C-alpha cells in the first residue's frame, strides 16, 4: 500500500485518517503509515532471506505493519514479538491471525518504548523507508543486533535505487 487513499479506504470503517495522524503524533511515530509487506509471497521471501540470522533466535520486529512478516519469521525463529503502534493494521490482519497465529509469534499493540524494558531479544529488525532513525533507536533497546533490512539492501546495491530516494530515506 503506497498511497494514503488505500489507508483511508481501509481505515474508514474504524477511524478517520486525521485520527490516525493525531495518534501517530501523540505517540511520537515518525514513520509514514505505508505498508511495504502486503503479500504472503513477499513476507515468505523476506523471512527466507532473514532465516540464517534469525534461526532459533528471539526476534523483535518494530513497526510490523500487517504482521505478515512476523508470521513467516516464526517458521525459523524460536520466538517472535511483532510490535506495531498503529491499530489499523491489526484489524486488517485479524482473520489470518485467527486461523494461523502460532503461540510463539506474539503481536503487541503499542509503541516499542512501551515494551522495551520487558523484552530482551537476540535480533531486532524493522522494514521502513521513513522514520528510519527513530525505528533504529527503538530497535537498539531490544537487542544487540539490529537489522534495517531495506538499508542493507540499498547498501548492497546502491546503484539499483534512486539516488534521491536513497538520500531522503535518511531524513524523512
Ligand atoms: C512504513 S510502515 C512499514 C510497516 C511494515 N514494516 C511494512 O513494511 O509493511 C512503518 C510502521 O512502523 C510503525 N512504527 C513506527 N515507529 C514505531 C514504534 N516506535 N513502535 C511501534 N511501531 C512503530 C508505524 O505505525 C508503521 O505502521
Amino acid at each position: 500500500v503506497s498511497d494514503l487513499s488505500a489507508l483511508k479506504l481501509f481505515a474508514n470503517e474504524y477511524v478517520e485518517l486525521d485520527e490516525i495522524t493525531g495518534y501517530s503524533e501523540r505517540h511520537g511515530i515518525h514513520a509514514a503509515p505505508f505498508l511495504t509487506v502486503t503479500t504472503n509471497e513477499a513476507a515468505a521471501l523476506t523471512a527466507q532471506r532473514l532465516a540464517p540470522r534469525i534461526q532459533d533466535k528471539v526476534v523483535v520486529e518494530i513497526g510490523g505493519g500487517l504482521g505478515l512478516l512476523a508470521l513467516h519469521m516464526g517458521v525459523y525463529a524460536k520466538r517472535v514479538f511483532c510490535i506495531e503502534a498503529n491499530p489499523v493494521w491489526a484489524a486488517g490482519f485479524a482473520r489470518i491471525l485467527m486461523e494461523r497465529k502460532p503461540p510463539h509469534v506474539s503481536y503487541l499493540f503499542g509503541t516499542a518504548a512501551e515494551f522495551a524494558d520487558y523484552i530482551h531479544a537476540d535480533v531486532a529488525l524493522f522494514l521502513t523507508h521513513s522514520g528510519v532513525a527513530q525505528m533504529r533507536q527503538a530497535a537498539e533497546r531490544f537487542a544487540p543486533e539490529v537489522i534495517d533490512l531495506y538499508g542493507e539492501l540499498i547498501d548492497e546495491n546502491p546503484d539499483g535505487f534512486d539516488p534521491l530516494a536513497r538520500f531522503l530515506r535518511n531524513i524523512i
Side-chain angles (χ1 to χ4, degrees):
V1 178
S2 59
D3 62 62
L4 281 178
S5 59
L7 173 66
K8 201 171 180 179
L9 187 75
F10 190 49
N12 255 354
E13 248 181 279
Y14 308 95
V15 283
E16 296 296 330
L17 189 58
D18 58 353
E19 291 178 80
I20 297 173
T21 312
Y23 176 88
S24 290
E25 280 171 10
R26 283 199 309 283
H27 289 85
I29 302 302
H30 297 278
F34 302 152
L35 298 177
T36 69
V37 183
T38 56
T39 66
N40 217 23
E41 290 74 19
L45 285 169
T46 306
Q48 204 175 56
R49 182 188 170 94
L50 290 165
R53 298 164 79 182
I54 63 171
Q55 186 77 48
D56 300 323
K57 294 195 172 163
V58 179
V59 178
V60 170
E61 184 183 6
I62 312 290
L66 287 180
L68 267 175
L69 175 61
L71 195 62
H72 283 274
M73 287 197 293
V75 172
Y76 309 99
K78 177 168 71 181
R79 191 79 180 77
V80 180
F81 295 100
C82 177
I83 300 174
E84 172 53 61
N86 191 335
V88 169
W89 305 141
F93 195 45
R95 181 160 292 138
I96 294 179
L97 286 180
M98 278 187 199
E99 279 171 24
R100 302 199 196 158
K101 182 202 161 305
H104 71 296
V105 179
S106 302
Y107 292 83
L108 307 175
F109 157 53
T111 63
E114 294 167 32
F115 308 105
D117 291 338
Y118 306 100
I119 297 173
H120 305 288
D122 300 305
V123 181
L125 61 93
F126 58 91
L127 275 68
T128 190
H129 290 302
S130 56
V132 174
Q134 184 238 2
M135 288 177 74
R136 176 185 301 283
Q137 219 170 35
E140 283 169 353
R141 293 189 62 188
F142 289 88
E145 182 180 354
V146 170
I147 301 176
D148 163 12
L149 187 66
Y150 293 145
E152 290 187 1
L153 291 177
I154 292 168
D155 288 347
E156 275 174 26
N157 177 24
D159 295 337
F161 295 86
D162 179 73
L164 179 62
R166 262 176 18 218
F167 169 73
L168 288 176
R169 181 176 192 273
N170 293 311
I171 58 168
I172 57 168

